[in-house]
Amino acid sequence: MSVASPAARPPIVITRLGWAAVAVMMLAACGGSSRSAGSAEGATTPDGFERRMATVVDATGTPCDLCLWVADTSALRSQGMMGVTDMGAADAMAFAYDDPTTGRFWMKDTPMPLSIAFFGADGSYLDAFDMEPCVAENSDDCRRYDTPAGFTVAVEAPRGGLLALGIAAGSTLVLTEEVCDQALAPRID
C-alpha cells in the first residue's frame, strides 16, 4: 500500500469533506436541521401543557435544542400522554419534578407506543426504555414501569424517537423556563 505525501494530497478538499461529515453527524444526532411540518389531520395532540425549551448534549458533546410539552404539576403528570396520537408542535413531553423522585409510569389510555428517558437533578442520563400502549377498560390491567431512583425529569417521545433528539446513555438535559417559539415544529414525525 502506498501513501501519498502531505504535499500530494489536496488538504482543502479533505478539510471540506471532513467538515461536511462532522456537520452531517451533528445534524443526525439532533434529528436534522429542520423540523417536520406538524400534526397529521385528525391527530390528538397534548392539550393544556406549556411548551418549553430544553437542551440535550449527547455523549459526544453535540448540543440539540428541543421544544417539550411540560407536565410539572401532579394533575398534568397524571394526564400526561393519555389520548395523544401525535406530539403536535413539540419534540416530546417532559415530566418535571421539583425534587428527585422514584416511582412508576403507566400507559393507561395512551394509544401510541412511547420511549421514556430519565434524568437526574444534575441533568445526567439515568436510564431509558420503551413502553407499550394500554387502552384496557380496567386500569389494573395496565403494566406499571418502574423508574430509576432519584430522577427529576422524564422525557417521553414516540417509540424510537429518543435517539433523534440526542437522548441516549451519556447525554445530559437542561429544561429551561423559556417558552418555545411558536414557529418551531417537532423533529420526530
mmCIF file of all heavy atoms in Angstrom, residues 43-98:
data_model
loop_
_atom_site.group_PDB
_atom_site.id
_atom_site.type_symbol
_atom_site.label_atom_id
_atom_site.label_comp_id
_atom_site.label_asym_id
_atom_site.label_seq_id
_atom_site.Cartn_x
_atom_site.Cartn_y
_atom_site.Cartn_z
ATOM 1 N N ALA A 43 -55.329 14.139 14.173
ATOM 2 C CA ALA A 43 -54.490 13.682 15.284
ATOM 3 C C ALA A 43 -54.899 14.376 16.581
ATOM 4 O O ALA A 43 -55.399 15.501 16.566
ATOM 5 C CB ALA A 43 -53.027 13.962 14.991
ATOM 6 N N THR A 44 -54.681 13.707 17.690
ATOM 7 C CA THR A 44 -54.921 14.293 19.013
ATOM 8 C C THR A 44 -53.563 14.640 19.614
ATOM 9 O O THR A 44 -52.709 13.778 19.778
ATOM 10 C CB THR A 44 -55.657 13.294 19.929
ATOM 11 O OG1 THR A 44 -56.882 12.929 19.305
ATOM 12 C CG2 THR A 44 -55.933 13.902 21.287
ATOM 13 N N THR A 45 -53.377 15.918 19.912
ATOM 14 C CA THR A 45 -52.110 16.393 20.464
ATOM 15 C C THR A 45 -52.298 16.754 21.948
ATOM 16 O O THR A 45 -53.429 16.917 22.403
ATOM 17 C CB THR A 45 -51.607 17.626 19.689
ATOM 18 O OG1 THR A 45 -52.591 18.661 19.783
ATOM 19 C CG2 THR A 45 -51.361 17.300 18.221
ATOM 20 N N PRO A 46 -51.212 16.877 22.698
ATOM 21 C CA PRO A 46 -51.338 17.260 24.105
ATOM 22 C C PRO A 46 -52.076 18.593 24.243
ATOM 23 O O PRO A 46 -51.876 19.508 23.438
ATOM 24 C CB PRO A 46 -49.881 17.388 24.563
ATOM 25 C CG PRO A 46 -49.140 16.435 23.679
ATOM 26 C CD PRO A 46 -49.821 16.573 22.339
ATOM 27 N N ASP A 47 -52.924 18.683 25.240
ATOM 28 C CA ASP A 47 -53.743 19.877 25.442
ATOM 29 C C ASP A 47 -53.598 20.346 26.888
ATOM 30 O O ASP A 47 -53.634 19.530 27.812
ATOM 31 C CB ASP A 47 -55.213 19.555 25.138
ATOM 32 C CG ASP A 47 -56.106 20.774 25.210
ATOM 33 O OD1 ASP A 47 -55.662 21.869 24.838
ATOM 34 O OD2 ASP A 47 -57.261 20.630 25.664
ATOM 35 N N GLY A 48 -53.383 21.653 27.071
ATOM 36 C CA GLY A 48 -53.286 22.220 28.409
ATOM 37 C C GLY A 48 -51.875 22.269 28.962
ATOM 38 O O GLY A 48 -51.674 22.623 30.125
ATOM 39 N N PHE A 49 -50.896 21.922 28.143
ATOM 40 C CA PHE A 49 -49.497 21.909 28.568
ATOM 41 C C PHE A 49 -48.754 23.094 27.962
ATOM 42 O O PHE A 49 -48.999 23.473 26.821
ATOM 43 C CB PHE A 49 -48.793 20.631 28.097
ATOM 44 C CG PHE A 49 -49.352 19.380 28.692
ATOM 45 C CD1 PHE A 49 -50.418 18.729 28.092
ATOM 46 C CD2 PHE A 49 -48.805 18.837 29.850
ATOM 47 C CE1 PHE A 49 -50.935 17.568 28.634
ATOM 48 C CE2 PHE A 49 -49.321 17.674 30.399
ATOM 49 C CZ PHE A 49 -50.396 17.046 29.792
ATOM 50 N N GLU A 50 -47.809 23.641 28.708
ATOM 51 C CA GLU A 50 -46.910 24.673 28.199
ATOM 52 C C GLU A 50 -45.782 23.995 27.427
ATOM 53 O O GLU A 50 -45.390 22.881 27.750
ATOM 54 C CB GLU A 50 -46.340 25.443 29.396
ATOM 55 C CG GLU A 50 -45.372 26.540 29.030
ATOM 56 C CD GLU A 50 -44.878 27.266 30.269
ATOM 57 O OE1 GLU A 50 -44.139 26.651 31.073
ATOM 58 O OE2 GLU A 50 -45.227 28.443 30.410
ATOM 59 N N ARG A 51 -45.275 24.682 26.395
ATOM 60 C CA ARG A 51 -44.116 24.182 25.653
ATOM 61 C C ARG A 51 -42.901 24.989 26.089
ATOM 62 O O ARG A 51 -42.915 26.212 26.039
ATOM 63 C CB ARG A 51 -44.315 24.341 24.138
ATOM 64 C CG ARG A 51 -45.390 23.478 23.572
ATOM 65 C CD ARG A 51 -45.555 23.628 22.054
ATOM 66 N NE ARG A 51 -45.390 24.991 21.603
ATOM 67 C CZ ARG A 51 -44.607 25.350 20.576
ATOM 68 N NH1 ARG A 51 -43.962 24.457 19.884
ATOM 69 N NH2 ARG A 51 -44.507 26.603 20.223
ATOM 70 N N ARG A 52 -41.826 24.283 26.507
ATOM 71 C CA ARG A 52 -40.610 24.972 26.946
ATOM 72 C C ARG A 52 -39.385 24.418 26.240
ATOM 73 O O ARG A 52 -39.342 23.263 25.833
ATOM 74 C CB ARG A 52 -40.439 24.840 28.459
ATOM 75 C CG ARG A 52 -41.537 25.560 29.202
ATOM 76 C CD ARG A 52 -41.259 25.881 30.646
ATOM 77 N NE ARG A 52 -40.408 24.998 31.385
ATOM 78 C CZ ARG A 52 -40.716 24.473 32.562
ATOM 79 N NH1 ARG A 52 -41.875 24.723 33.124
ATOM 80 N NH2 ARG A 52 -39.862 23.694 33.190
ATOM 81 N N MET A 53 -38.391 25.268 26.141
ATOM 82 C CA MET A 53 -37.126 24.900 25.515
ATOM 83 C C MET A 53 -36.295 24.028 26.464
ATOM 84 O O MET A 53 -36.344 24.190 27.671
ATOM 85 C CB MET A 53 -36.321 26.147 25.151
ATOM 86 C CG MET A 53 -36.965 27.036 24.098
ATOM 87 S SD MET A 53 -37.210 26.232 22.502
ATOM 88 C CE MET A 53 -35.530 25.842 22.049
ATOM 89 N N ALA A 54 -35.553 23.120 25.864
ATOM 90 C CA ALA A 54 -34.615 22.272 26.590
ATOM 91 C C ALA A 54 -33.408 22.072 25.696
ATOM 92 O O ALA A 54 -33.496 22.215 24.467
ATOM 93 C CB ALA A 54 -35.251 20.931 26.939
ATOM 94 N N THR A 55 -32.292 21.747 26.287
ATOM 95 C CA THR A 55 -31.093 21.407 25.520
ATOM 96 C C THR A 55 -30.585 20.057 25.991
ATOM 97 O O THR A 55 -30.427 19.830 27.183
ATOM 98 C CB THR A 55 -29.986 22.464 25.706
ATOM 99 O OG1 THR A 55 -30.474 23.728 25.258
ATOM 100 C CG2 THR A 55 -28.737 22.097 24.907
ATOM 101 N N VAL A 56 -30.377 19.174 25.022
ATOM 102 C CA VAL A 56 -29.739 17.886 25.271
ATOM 103 C C VAL A 56 -28.332 17.986 24.712
ATOM 104 O O VAL A 56 -28.133 18.506 23.608
ATOM 105 C CB VAL A 56 -30.492 16.733 24.562
ATOM 106 C CG1 VAL A 56 -29.689 15.443 24.615
ATOM 107 C CG2 VAL A 56 -31.857 16.528 25.177
ATOM 108 N N VAL A 57 -27.356 17.531 25.473
ATOM 109 C CA VAL A 57 -25.990 17.408 24.967
ATOM 110 C C VAL A 57 -25.702 15.912 24.940
ATOM 111 O O VAL A 57 -25.759 15.240 25.969
ATOM 112 C CB VAL A 57 -24.974 18.157 25.861
ATOM 113 C CG1 VAL A 57 -23.557 17.941 25.338
ATOM 114 C CG2 VAL A 57 -25.314 19.644 25.912
ATOM 115 N N ASP A 58 -25.443 15.391 23.722
ATOM 116 C CA ASP A 58 -25.236 13.944 23.610
ATOM 117 C C ASP A 58 -23.853 13.554 24.117
ATOM 118 O O ASP A 58 -23.061 14.407 24.522
ATOM 119 C CB ASP A 58 -25.512 13.447 22.180
ATOM 120 C CG ASP A 58 -24.465 13.845 21.165
ATOM 121 O OD1 ASP A 58 -23.347 14.272 21.542
ATOM 122 O OD2 ASP A 58 -24.743 13.716 19.960
ATOM 123 N N ALA A 59 -23.572 12.275 24.102
ATOM 124 C CA ALA A 59 -22.325 11.746 24.671
ATOM 125 C C ALA A 59 -21.079 12.280 23.968
ATOM 126 O O ALA A 59 -19.996 12.277 24.547
ATOM 127 C CB ALA A 59 -22.334 10.226 24.635
ATOM 128 N N THR A 60 -21.224 12.764 22.725
ATOM 129 C CA THR A 60 -20.074 13.312 22.002
ATOM 130 C C THR A 60 -19.900 14.805 22.242
ATOM 131 O O THR A 60 -18.975 15.407 21.725
ATOM 132 C CB THR A 60 -20.204 13.076 20.483
ATOM 133 O OG1 THR A 60 -21.292 13.862 19.974
ATOM 134 C CG2 THR A 60 -20.409 11.609 20.163
ATOM 135 N N GLY A 61 -20.840 15.416 23.005
ATOM 136 C CA GLY A 61 -20.761 16.851 23.268
ATOM 137 C C GLY A 61 -21.584 17.692 22.321
ATOM 138 O O GLY A 61 -21.554 18.919 22.393
ATOM 139 N N THR A 62 -22.330 17.058 21.435
ATOM 140 C CA THR A 62 -23.147 17.789 20.467
ATOM 141 C C THR A 62 -24.456 18.230 21.117
ATOM 142 O O THR A 62 -25.209 17.401 21.617
ATOM 143 C CB THR A 62 -23.465 16.895 19.248
ATOM 144 O OG1 THR A 62 -22.231 16.445 18.686
ATOM 145 C CG2 THR A 62 -24.265 17.653 18.206
ATOM 146 N N PRO A 63 -24.729 19.552 21.105
ATOM 147 C CA PRO A 63 -25.977 20.041 21.700
ATOM 148 C C PRO A 63 -27.147 19.930 20.720
ATOM 149 O O PRO A 63 -26.967 19.977 19.503
ATOM 150 C CB PRO A 63 -25.673 21.508 22.007
ATOM 151 C CG PRO A 63 -24.671 21.893 20.965
ATOM 152 C CD PRO A 63 -23.858 20.647 20.689
ATOM 153 N N CYS A 64 -28.338 19.768 21.273
ATOM 154 C CA CYS A 64 -29.566 19.707 20.489
ATOM 155 C C CYS A 64 -30.637 20.489 21.242
ATOM 156 O O CYS A 64 -30.972 20.145 22.380
ATOM 157 C CB CYS A 64 -29.993 18.255 20.312
ATOM 158 S SG CYS A 64 -31.487 18.046 19.324
ATOM 159 N N ASP A 65 -31.149 21.566 20.646
ATOM 160 C CA ASP A 65 -32.217 22.342 21.270
ATOM 161 C C ASP A 65 -33.554 21.702 20.942
ATOM 162 O O ASP A 65 -33.847 21.401 19.785
ATOM 163 C CB ASP A 65 -32.186 23.788 20.777
ATOM 164 C CG ASP A 65 -30.971 24.540 21.290
ATOM 165 O OD1 ASP A 65 -30.512 24.234 22.411
ATOM 166 O OD2 ASP A 65 -30.479 25.429 20.582
ATOM 167 N N LEU A 66 -34.361 21.506 21.983
ATOM 168 C CA LEU A 66 -35.653 20.848 21.846
ATOM 169 C C LEU A 66 -36.773 21.758 22.324
ATOM 170 O O LEU A 66 -36.557 22.676 23.109
ATOM 171 C CB LEU A 66 -35.699 19.574 22.700
ATOM 172 C CG LEU A 66 -34.611 18.542 22.499
ATOM 173 C CD1 LEU A 66 -34.805 17.395 23.488
ATOM 174 C CD2 LEU A 66 -34.628 18.032 21.074
ATOM 175 N N CYS A 67 -37.976 21.446 21.891
ATOM 176 C CA CYS A 67 -39.192 22.057 22.398
ATOM 177 C C CYS A 67 -40.011 20.919 23.008
ATOM 178 O O CYS A 67 -40.316 19.937 22.321
ATOM 179 C CB CYS A 67 -39.955 22.735 21.267
ATOM 180 S SG CYS A 67 -41.510 23.472 21.822
ATOM 181 N N LEU A 68 -40.321 21.025 24.312
ATOM 182 C CA LEU A 68 -41.002 19.942 25.023
ATOM 183 C C LEU A 68 -42.299 20.426 25.659
ATOM 184 O O LEU A 68 -42.343 21.520 26.235
ATOM 185 C CB LEU A 68 -40.099 19.393 26.128
ATOM 186 C CG LEU A 68 -38.723 18.879 25.717
ATOM 187 C CD1 LEU A 68 -37.926 18.480 26.952
ATOM 188 C CD2 LEU A 68 -38.839 17.724 24.743
ATOM 189 N N TRP A 69 -43.350 19.616 25.551
ATOM 190 C CA TRP A 69 -44.533 19.828 26.379
ATOM 191 C C TRP A 69 -44.073 19.560 27.804
ATOM 192 O O TRP A 69 -43.297 18.633 28.036
ATOM 193 C CB TRP A 69 -45.639 18.833 26.023
ATOM 194 C CG TRP A 69 -46.168 18.939 24.625
ATOM 195 C CD1 TRP A 69 -45.974 18.061 23.612
ATOM 196 C CD2 TRP A 69 -47.001 19.971 24.098
ATOM 197 N NE1 TRP A 69 -46.622 18.480 22.475
ATOM 198 C CE2 TRP A 69 -47.267 19.655 22.743
ATOM 199 C CE3 TRP A 69 -47.551 21.138 24.622
ATOM 200 C CZ2 TRP A 69 -48.055 20.448 21.924
ATOM 201 C CZ3 TRP A 69 -48.338 21.938 23.796
ATOM 202 C CH2 TRP A 69 -48.585 21.592 22.472
ATOM 203 N N VAL A 70 -44.549 20.338 28.777
ATOM 204 C CA VAL A 70 -44.079 20.147 30.154
ATOM 205 C C VAL A 70 -45.246 19.829 31.085
ATOM 206 O O VAL A 70 -46.212 20.594 31.181
ATOM 207 C CB VAL A 70 -43.312 21.388 30.662
ATOM 208 C CG1 VAL A 70 -42.888 21.211 32.111
ATOM 209 C CG2 VAL A 70 -42.094 21.638 29.784
ATOM 210 N N ALA A 71 -45.131 18.691 31.759
ATOM 211 C CA ALA A 71 -46.067 18.269 32.798
ATOM 212 C C ALA A 71 -45.344 18.459 34.125
ATOM 213 O O ALA A 71 -44.520 17.636 34.508
ATOM 214 C CB ALA A 71 -46.458 16.811 32.584
ATOM 215 N N ASP A 72 -45.631 19.585 34.804
ATOM 216 C CA ASP A 72 -44.876 19.909 36.015
ATOM 217 C C ASP A 72 -45.754 20.066 37.249
ATOM 218 O O ASP A 72 -45.307 20.559 38.274
ATOM 219 C CB ASP A 72 -44.011 21.148 35.797
ATOM 220 C CG ASP A 72 -44.815 22.370 35.377
ATOM 221 O OD1 ASP A 72 -46.057 22.274 35.241
ATOM 222 O OD2 ASP A 72 -44.199 23.433 35.181
ATOM 223 N N THR A 73 -47.003 19.644 37.149
ATOM 224 C CA THR A 73 -47.888 19.586 38.315
ATOM 225 C C THR A 73 -48.421 18.159 38.406
ATOM 226 O O THR A 73 -48.384 17.405 37.425
ATOM 227 C CB THR A 73 -49.076 20.555 38.183
ATOM 228 O OG1 THR A 73 -49.922 20.115 37.113
ATOM 229 C CG2 THR A 73 -48.615 21.997 37.934
ATOM 230 N N SER A 74 -48.932 17.817 39.561
ATOM 231 C CA SER A 74 -49.480 16.469 39.739
ATOM 232 C C SER A 74 -50.590 16.194 38.731
ATOM 233 O O SER A 74 -50.645 15.106 38.135
ATOM 234 C CB SER A 74 -50.001 16.312 41.174
ATOM 235 O OG SER A 74 -50.519 15.023 41.358
ATOM 236 N N ALA A 75 -51.456 17.166 38.511
ATOM 237 C CA ALA A 75 -52.569 16.981 37.566
ATOM 238 C C ALA A 75 -52.060 16.773 36.142
ATOM 239 O O ALA A 75 -52.540 15.885 35.427
ATOM 240 C CB ALA A 75 -53.514 18.177 37.628
ATOM 241 N N LEU A 76 -51.095 17.581 35.709
ATOM 242 C CA LEU A 76 -50.563 17.428 34.347
ATOM 243 C C LEU A 76 -49.787 16.132 34.197
ATOM 244 O O LEU A 76 -49.873 15.462 33.163
ATOM 245 C CB LEU A 76 -49.678 18.625 33.984
ATOM 246 C CG LEU A 76 -50.409 19.947 33.746
ATOM 247 C CD1 LEU A 76 -49.407 21.088 33.530
ATOM 248 C CD2 LEU A 76 -51.362 19.844 32.567
ATOM 249 N N ARG A 77 -49.018 15.751 35.227
ATOM 250 C CA ARG A 77 -48.294 14.484 35.152
ATOM 251 C C ARG A 77 -49.264 13.306 35.082
ATOM 252 O O ARG A 77 -49.007 12.323 34.391
ATOM 253 C CB ARG A 77 -47.328 14.340 36.334
ATOM 254 C CG ARG A 77 -46.118 15.288 36.223
ATOM 255 C CD ARG A 77 -45.073 14.993 37.276
ATOM 256 N NE ARG A 77 -45.521 15.259 38.620
ATOM 257 C CZ ARG A 77 -45.283 16.388 39.295
ATOM 258 N NH1 ARG A 77 -44.578 17.359 38.748
ATOM 259 N NH2 ARG A 77 -45.722 16.525 40.536
ATOM 260 N N SER A 78 -50.392 13.379 35.791
ATOM 261 C CA SER A 78 -51.397 12.311 35.736
ATOM 262 C C SER A 78 -52.032 12.224 34.353
ATOM 263 O O SER A 78 -52.328 11.140 33.867
ATOM 264 C CB SER A 78 -52.483 12.541 36.786
ATOM 265 O OG SER A 78 -51.954 12.393 38.076
ATOM 266 N N GLN A 79 -52.252 13.370 33.720
ATOM 267 C CA GLN A 79 -52.837 13.407 32.373
ATOM 268 C C GLN A 79 -51.839 12.910 31.340
ATOM 269 O O GLN A 79 -52.168 12.073 30.500
ATOM 270 C CB GLN A 79 -53.271 14.834 32.024
ATOM 271 C CG GLN A 79 -53.828 14.975 30.629
ATOM 272 C CD GLN A 79 -54.148 16.429 30.282
ATOM 273 O OE1 GLN A 79 -54.296 17.273 31.160
ATOM 274 N NE2 GLN A 79 -54.240 16.718 29.002
ATOM 275 N N GLY A 80 -50.622 13.426 31.410
ATOM 276 C CA GLY A 80 -49.554 13.003 30.505
ATOM 277 C C GLY A 80 -49.987 12.832 29.064
ATOM 278 O O GLY A 80 -50.608 13.713 28.485
ATOM 279 N N MET A 81 -49.689 11.684 28.496
ATOM 280 C CA MET A 81 -49.945 11.413 27.082
ATOM 281 C C MET A 81 -51.255 10.653 26.846
ATOM 282 O O MET A 81 -51.469 10.114 25.765
ATOM 283 C CB MET A 81 -48.770 10.624 26.504
ATOM 284 C CG MET A 81 -47.439 11.369 26.548
ATOM 285 S SD MET A 81 -47.330 12.647 25.304
ATOM 286 C CE MET A 81 -47.153 11.630 23.863
ATOM 287 N N MET A 82 -52.143 10.640 27.840
ATOM 288 C CA MET A 82 -53.420 9.948 27.668
ATOM 289 C C MET A 82 -54.176 10.505 26.464
ATOM 290 O O MET A 82 -54.368 11.717 26.349
ATOM 291 C CB MET A 82 -54.288 10.083 28.921
ATOM 292 C CG MET A 82 -53.829 9.259 30.074
ATOM 293 S SD MET A 82 -54.978 9.457 31.461
ATOM 294 C CE MET A 82 -54.250 8.353 32.632
ATOM 295 N N GLY A 83 -54.577 9.624 25.576
ATOM 296 C CA GLY A 83 -55.358 10.006 24.403
ATOM 297 C C GLY A 83 -54.566 10.638 23.280
ATOM 298 O O GLY A 83 -55.092 10.901 22.208
ATOM 299 N N VAL A 84 -53.292 10.901 23.479
ATOM 300 C CA VAL A 84 -52.465 11.590 22.484
ATOM 301 C C VAL A 84 -52.040 10.622 21.377
ATOM 302 O O VAL A 84 -51.564 9.526 21.657
ATOM 303 C CB VAL A 84 -51.230 12.234 23.155
ATOM 304 C CG1 VAL A 84 -50.265 12.799 22.130
ATOM 305 C CG2 VAL A 84 -51.666 13.313 24.137
ATOM 306 N N THR A 85 -52.199 11.048 20.126
ATOM 307 C CA THR A 85 -51.769 10.250 18.975
ATOM 308 C C THR A 85 -50.670 10.930 18.176
ATOM 309 O O THR A 85 -50.138 10.355 17.235
ATOM 310 C CB THR A 85 -52.961 9.955 18.036
ATOM 311 O OG1 THR A 85 -53.502 11.207 17.568
ATOM 312 C CG2 THR A 85 -54.043 9.157 18.751
ATOM 313 N N ASP A 86 -50.337 12.182 18.529
ATOM 314 C CA ASP A 86 -49.339 12.954 17.790
ATOM 315 C C ASP A 86 -48.741 13.987 18.735
ATOM 316 O O ASP A 86 -49.471 14.615 19.501
ATOM 317 C CB ASP A 86 -50.019 13.643 16.599
ATOM 318 C CG ASP A 86 -49.039 14.262 15.631
ATOM 319 O OD1 ASP A 86 -48.317 15.196 16.030
ATOM 320 O OD2 ASP A 86 -49.016 13.844 14.468
ATOM 321 N N MET A 87 -47.432 14.195 18.682
ATOM 322 C CA MET A 87 -46.775 15.165 19.562
ATOM 323 C C MET A 87 -47.104 16.613 19.200
ATOM 324 O O MET A 87 -46.844 17.517 19.991
ATOM 325 C CB MET A 87 -45.255 14.969 19.550
ATOM 326 C CG MET A 87 -44.787 13.689 20.203
ATOM 327 S SD MET A 87 -45.399 13.405 21.874
ATOM 328 C CE MET A 87 -44.761 14.811 22.737
ATOM 329 N N GLY A 88 -47.654 16.837 18.022
ATOM 330 C CA GLY A 88 -48.011 18.200 17.656
ATOM 331 C C GLY A 88 -46.796 19.097 17.541
ATOM 332 O O GLY A 88 -45.787 18.707 16.973
ATOM 333 N N ALA A 89 -46.869 20.284 18.125
ATOM 334 C CA ALA A 89 -45.840 21.308 17.969
ATOM 335 C C ALA A 89 -44.726 21.202 19.008
ATOM 336 O O ALA A 89 -44.236 22.210 19.499
ATOM 337 C CB ALA A 89 -46.487 22.689 18.024
ATOM 338 N N ALA A 90 -44.326 19.988 19.347
ATOM 339 C CA ALA A 90 -43.211 19.787 20.283
ATOM 340 C C ALA A 90 -42.499 18.488 19.921
ATOM 341 O O ALA A 90 -43.050 17.643 19.212
ATOM 342 C CB ALA A 90 -43.704 19.744 21.723
ATOM 343 N N ASP A 91 -41.283 18.345 20.419
ATOM 344 C CA ASP A 91 -40.486 17.150 20.143
ATOM 345 C C ASP A 91 -40.864 15.968 21.026
ATOM 346 O O ASP A 91 -40.747 14.820 20.613
ATOM 347 C CB ASP A 91 -38.996 17.459 20.349
ATOM 348 C CG ASP A 91 -38.488 18.466 19.341
ATOM 349 O OD1 ASP A 91 -38.607 18.208 18.140
ATOM 350 O OD2 ASP A 91 -37.983 19.523 19.768
ATOM 351 N N ALA A 92 -41.289 16.246 22.254
ATOM 352 C CA ALA A 92 -41.573 15.196 23.225
ATOM 353 C C ALA A 92 -42.276 15.847 24.411
ATOM 354 O O ALA A 92 -42.582 17.040 24.374
ATOM 355 C CB ALA A 92 -40.274 14.528 23.670
ATOM 356 N N MET A 93 -42.535 15.064 25.459
ATOM 357 C CA MET A 93 -43.129 15.595 26.689
ATOM 358 C C MET A 93 -42.174 15.336 27.848
ATOM 359 O O MET A 93 -41.651 14.236 27.994
ATOM 360 C CB MET A 93 -44.476 14.949 26.995
ATOM 361 C CG MET A 93 -45.118 15.483 28.275
ATOM 362 S SD MET A 93 -46.772 14.821 28.616
ATOM 363 C CE MET A 93 -47.738 15.761 27.441
ATOM 364 N N ALA A 94 -41.980 16.376 28.673
ATOM 365 C CA ALA A 94 -41.148 16.262 29.870
ATOM 366 C C ALA A 94 -42.035 16.235 31.102
ATOM 367 O O ALA A 94 -42.918 17.081 31.260
ATOM 368 C CB ALA A 94 -40.184 17.442 29.965
ATOM 369 N N PHE A 95 -41.794 15.250 31.966
ATOM 370 C CA PHE A 95 -42.448 15.172 33.266
ATOM 371 C C PHE A 95 -41.430 15.692 34.267
ATOM 372 O O PHE A 95 -40.417 15.035 34.518
ATOM 373 C CB PHE A 95 -42.838 13.728 33.586
ATOM 374 C CG PHE A 95 -43.900 13.179 32.658
ATOM 375 C CD1 PHE A 95 -43.575 12.774 31.375
ATOM 376 C CD2 PHE A 95 -45.216 13.090 33.072
ATOM 377 C CE1 PHE A 95 -44.543 12.276 30.515
ATOM 378 C CE2 PHE A 95 -46.196 12.598 32.220
ATOM 379 C CZ PHE A 95 -45.866 12.190 30.941
ATOM 380 N N ALA A 96 -41.677 16.887 34.804
ATOM 381 C CA ALA A 96 -40.698 17.559 35.652
ATOM 382 C C ALA A 96 -41.134 17.538 37.119
ATOM 383 O O ALA A 96 -42.300 17.768 37.430
ATOM 384 C CB ALA A 96 -40.507 18.996 35.185
ATOM 385 N N TYR A 97 -40.175 17.262 37.998
ATOM 386 C CA TYR A 97 -40.405 17.190 39.435
ATOM 387 C C TYR A 97 -39.448 18.144 40.134
ATOM 388 O O TYR A 97 -38.297 18.285 39.729
ATOM 389 C CB TYR A 97 -40.165 15.764 39.944
ATOM 390 C CG TYR A 97 -41.110 14.751 39.349
ATOM 391 C CD1 TYR A 97 -40.879 14.223 38.076
ATOM 392 C CD2 TYR A 97 -42.222 14.313 40.045
ATOM 393 C CE1 TYR A 97 -41.754 13.295 37.517
ATOM 394 C CE2 TYR A 97 -43.102 13.383 39.503
ATOM 395 C CZ TYR A 97 -42.857 12.882 38.241
ATOM 396 O OH TYR A 97 -43.715 11.970 37.691
ATOM 397 N N ASP A 98 -39.922 18.792 41.201
ATOM 398 C CA ASP A 98 -39.080 19.730 41.949
ATOM 399 C C ASP A 98 -37.949 19.025 42.686
ATOM 400 O O ASP A 98 -36.863 19.576 42.831
ATOM 401 C CB ASP A 98 -39.921 20.523 42.959
ATOM 402 C CG ASP A 98 -40.884 21.485 42.276
ATOM 403 O OD1 ASP A 98 -40.562 21.980 41.182
ATOM 404 O OD2 ASP A 98 -41.970 21.723 42.849
#
